């Protein structure tokens, strides 16, 4: 980038070929990582995991990001070092590398120690920030993986309340509740179970628990609120089918509910 900027007149900004972001002045130096081709061309697809940086890559990011916040007397030398590759991470190798790269001799070599101390401080700040972020992510993951409180106890309590309420109801209240349940369970397409419940309910209220079959069908249709035109044949078939069950006794044209 530096070589291109020197050759190109009026080079006020450069753009990243991957993310298409423009950088003015020396801002491009901070752009040390970018999106992958999958992220660029398949944004709606599965997002790849972020690549884990090596210790050397993290160190180079520290060196490059430290330039902007460096003391005035260190900024120029750090800028030169940041433009180089494979800056050593150990103190002795760094001092030799920096002294040779900056052509420092004699008393000037002392500035290398200041640069090293400054970079190590920034490295510690980066490490502390990474550990804090990792701990926060772990805490969020633990919170999301925590088991949800069981609703079994509440469900059992509700069931017990319902059973207690049902046991304390009067026969008239039970019949009213049964009629309501039958209507709620009835659908546009009549089913065997709904007709069976309605037949029991109607016969239970009848004198002697007996009715003519035709009258029973009328009462069942009324109980289930069925359309007469659409459900007549279907209802007749279902009543006849249920009449064969052990709960009912056919006596000619009459049908009777067995008493337990």
């Amino acid at each position: 980038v530096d070589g291109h900027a020197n050759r190109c007149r009026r080079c006020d900004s450069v753009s990243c070929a991957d993310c298409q972001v423009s950088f003015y002045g020396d801002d491009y130096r901070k752009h040390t990582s970018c999106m992958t081709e999958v992220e660029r061309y398949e944004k709606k697809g599965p997002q790849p995991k972020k690549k884990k940086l090596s210790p050397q890559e993290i160190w180079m990011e520290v060196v490059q990001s430290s330039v902007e916040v460096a003391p005035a007397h260190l900024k120029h030398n750090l800028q030169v070092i940041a433009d180089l590759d494979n800056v050593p991470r150990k103190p002795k190798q760094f001092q030799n590398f920096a002294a040779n790269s900056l052509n420092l001799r004699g008393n000037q070599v002392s500035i290398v120690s200041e640069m090293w101390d400054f970079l190590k401080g920034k490295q510690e700040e980066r490490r502390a920030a990474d550990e804090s972020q990792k701990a926060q992510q772990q805490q969020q993951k633990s919170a999301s993986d925590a088991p949800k409180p069981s609703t079994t106890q509440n469900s059992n309590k509700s069931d017990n309340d319902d059973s207690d309420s049902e046991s304390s109801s009067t026969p008239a209240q039970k019949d009213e509740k049964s009629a309501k349940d039958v209507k709620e369970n009835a659908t546009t397409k009549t089913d065997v179970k709904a007709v069976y419940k309605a037949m029991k309910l109607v016969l239970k209220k009848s004198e002697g628990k007996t009715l003519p079959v035709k009258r029973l069908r009328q009462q069942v249709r009324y109980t289930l609120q069925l359309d007469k035109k659409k459900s007549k044949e279907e209802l007749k078939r279902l009543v006849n089918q249920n009449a064969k069950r052990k709960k009912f006794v056919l006596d000619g044209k009459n049908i009777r509910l067995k008493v337990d």
Side-chain angles (χ1 to χ4, degrees):
V1 176
D2 291 332
H4 174 77
N6 292 332
R7 293 192 304 271
C8 182
R9 296 182 179 181
R10 293 186 177 181
C11 183
D12 297 328
S13 65
V14 292
S15 300
C16 176
D18 291 326
C19 64
Q20 306 298 320
V21 176
S22 298
F23 301 94
Y24 294 87
D26 295 336
D27 291 346
Y28 65 86
R29 300 185 190 278
K30 301 177 184 178
H31 190 59
T32 56
S33 60
C34 192
M35 64 173 63
T36 63
E37 290 186 359
V38 174
E39 291 175 314
R40 180 183 177 187
Y41 296 108
E42 301 180 13
K43 292 183 179 179
K44 295 183 180 180
Q47 298 297 322
K49 293 183 178 179
K50 187 176 181 181
K51 179 183 176 182
K52 186 176 181 181
L53 298 178
S54 66
Q56 182 62 29
E57 289 174 329
I58 295 175
W59 171 250
M60 289 303 301
E61 286 190 359
V62 170
V63 173
Q64 293 166 353
S65 62
S66 298
V67 175
E68 295 297 327
V69 295
H73 66 290
L74 298 179
K75 182 170 291 190
H76 173 72
N77 292 327
L78 281 175
Q79 182 67 71
V80 176
I81 294 296
D83 291 338
L84 302 175
D85 296 327
N86 297 323
V87 178
R89 291 180 285 123
K90 295 184 178 181
K92 187 175 181 180
Q93 287 85 342
F94 176 83
Q95 291 176 359
N96 293 333
F97 179 85
N100 293 330
S101 300
L102 299 172
N103 295 322
L104 299 177
R105 298 292 183 271
N107 296 333
Q108 294 179 328
V109 178
S110 61
I111 198 172
V112 176
S113 298
E114 293 186 53
M115 292 169 58
W116 172 256
D117 293 338
F118 176 75
L119 291 175
K120 288 300 291 183
K122 292 300 177 183
Q123 186 183 39
E124 291 299 326
E125 292 178 5
R126 167 70 178 264
R127 185 178 292 114
D130 290 345
E131 291 178 355
S132 176
Q133 184 179 8
K134 185 177 180 181
Q136 186 177 2
Q137 292 175 348
Q138 185 65 30
Q139 185 177 4
Q140 293 175 348
K141 183 179 179 181
S142 300
S144 61
D145 294 341
K148 296 181 179 179
S150 176
T151 58
T152 305
Q153 184 175 358
N154 293 336
S155 177
N156 291 337
K157 182 178 179 182
S158 177
D159 292 343
N160 292 335
D161 292 343
D162 292 342
S163 62
D164 292 343
S165 175
E166 184 177 352
S167 61
S168 61
S169 300
T170 63
Q173 290 174 332
K174 289 183 179 179
D175 290 343
E176 184 180 352
K177 183 176 185 300
S178 299
K180 183 178 180 182
D181 292 341
V182 169
K183 290 180 181 180
E184 289 178 351
N185 292 331
T187 59
T188 303
K189 184 179 179 180
T190 312
D191 59 79
V192 178
K193 188 175 181 181
V195 172
Y196 173 72
K197 289 183 178 181
M199 289 171 64
K200 285 177 58 180
L201 181 64
V202 171
L203 289 173
K204 189 175 181 181
K205 293 180 180 180
S206 303
E207 184 178 354
K209 296 182 172 53
T210 303
L211 278 176
V213 176
K214 185 175 181 180
R215 178 76 179 276
L216 175 62
R217 287 201 301 267
Q218 294 173 348
Q219 293 293 330
V220 169
R221 179 182 296 110
Y222 175 78
T223 301
L224 297 179
Q225 297 181 351
L226 301 176
D227 188 329
K228 183 177 179 180
K229 295 181 179 179
K230 293 183 179 179
S231 61
K232 185 176 180 180
E233 294 300 324
E234 177 70 9
L235 179 59
K236 184 177 181 180
R237 181 184 68 81
L238 293 175
V239 169
N240 292 337
Q241 181 179 341
N242 279 307
K244 298 176 183 179
R245 300 177 69 165
K246 295 180 179 180
K247 198 68 177 175
F248 306 104
V249 177
L250 280 172
D251 183 12
K253 295 183 178 181
N254 295 331
I255 184 170
R256 176 170 53 85
L257 177 67
K258 279 187 177 181
V259 180
D260 297 332

